[in-house]
Amino acid sequence: MSFHPGEIQVQKQAGVREEAQRLSRAIHSVIQPQAQGFISNQQLAAVSSVDASGKVWASLLLGKPGFVSILNEATVEINPTSLTNDLLYKNLKANPQIGILLIDLANRSRLRLNGIAKVQQEQKTIQLEIQEAFFNCPKYIQIRHLEISETESSNQPQILNKNSLSNSDKTWISQADTFFIASFHPEIGADASHRGGNPGFVKVVYDNKLIFPDYVGNNMFQTFGNFAINPNAGILFIDFENGHTLQLAGKAKVIWDAEDINEISGAKRLVEFDIEEIVETRNATNWCWKFGEYSPANP
């Protein structure tokens, strides 16, 4: 698999072009044998999609092991048991390009599946025709264990749409150690990725702006490469203890200036994220995760 011009531009700017080219051999257009068992055991996915206005969103999908099933080496079917009212389905009607990150928090493993979605609206299932499939490294994943998978709950989801962060949102973000980020290239497609660090690694600057560090990663820069072409991005925060979600749509800008970077320990670059739209879902799921330990890679 080859990289698009935005990815190549960022790889060159970061000084890792040759290494990235070697790593591109890990990106496949079909599911490799070592990924098959991983896929069938997953219960959590972060998903990237694009709405009719071009805004990019990161969404959460959950299900019992097997909710992502392999139909053939180039197609998977996703049958989630949670968040079927999420804006994801509406977005996929407007634009079928999708990026999926399957992540195993307990074992620090993650797999990206990017391609074209076909939605069965009545069943709320998604068939994904894969264009890219590849594992990522385990860095910055905090260990969490699914504690409650299916519980009776009288609390119905409550969706709040807003344009700026509330004080409680700011507290939530400033204490977060994990979030998911969605990006989109108009020709190549959508992508979902993971970001992690110790609590406080995401800074709330204003009611509508965040800054977070970019640590040493896999050096392929798919997310930043998409930003170089299209700044529209989405962020998803999950309240792992209480089942709430916070979805932010906005624009991302990579900061390369050394003076600003040195203010955050371990940062190689910074990202400014300007928030344009917010969807907070209280009681998005009745699942919860028990914290295990922070990643030893966290600065």
Side-chain angles (χ1 to χ4, degrees), residues 43-55:
Q43 297 185 258
L44 186 159
V47 184
S48 173
S49 64
V50 184
D51 69 18
S53 69
K55 288 190 175 74

Side-chain angles (χ1 to χ4, degrees), residues 138-298:
K139 288 180 180 177
Y140 318 117
I141 299 177
Q142 329 310 339
I143 289 180
R144 284 184 163 87
H145 302 279
L146 184 60
E147 196 170 50
I148 303 172
S149 58
E150 296 285 352
T151 60
E152 295 292 333
S153 175
S154 59
N155 296 322
Q156 296 299 311
Q158 180 184 7
I159 300 174
L160 307 173
N161 294 280
K162 44 195 175 181
N163 296 315
S164 61
L165 297 171
S166 66
N167 288 334
S168 62
D169 295 335
K170 295 176 186 177
T171 299
W172 178 352
I173 292 170
S174 65
Q175 294 175 350
D177 57 48
T178 298
F179 69 89
F180 299 93
I181 188 161
S183 61
F184 176 71
H185 187 292
E187 297 175 359
I188 305 301
D191 181 76
S193 189
H194 160 277
R195 292 291 186 272
N198 289 328
F201 84 112
V202 184
K203 311 294 184 184
V204 180
V205 182
Y206 306 112
D207 291 350
N208 291 80
K209 185 188 287 289
L210 307 179
I211 291 182
F212 56 88
D214 180 57
Y215 302 133
V216 173
N218 60 25
N219 288 330
M220 290 192 283
F221 289 105
Q222 287 95 340
T223 299
F224 281 13
N226 286 347
F227 292 166
I229 304 299
N230 175 22
N232 290 342
I235 286 178
L236 168 69
F237 290 96
I238 303 171
D239 183 334
F240 290 101
E241 289 73 33
N242 299 298
H244 312 316
T245 61
L246 189 66
Q247 295 167 277
L248 314 176
K251 288 184 168 57
K253 176 184 177 182
V254 180
I255 301 173
W256 298 83
D257 181 77
E259 183 176 346
D260 292 329
I261 294 167
N262 291 335
E263 295 178 6
I264 299 181
S265 176
K268 299 300 181 182
R269 291 148 291 271
L270 302 179
V271 179
E272 283 187 356
F273 185 80
D274 291 307
I275 300 167
E276 297 175 337
E277 191 173 347
I278 301 169
V279 177
E280 179 181 359
T281 305
R282 312 293 294 178
N283 308 311
T285 176
N286 54 16
W287 293 21
C288 70
W289 290 260
K290 182 179 180 181
F291 180 80
E293 63 182 35
Y294 292 115
S295 169
N298 291 352

Side-chain angles (χ1 to χ4, degrees), residues 33-50:
Q34 64 268 31
Q36 294 177 6
F38 177 84
I39 291 171
S40 63
N41 285 318
Q42 298 318 300
Q43 297 185 258
L44 186 159
V47 184
S48 173
S49 64
V50 184

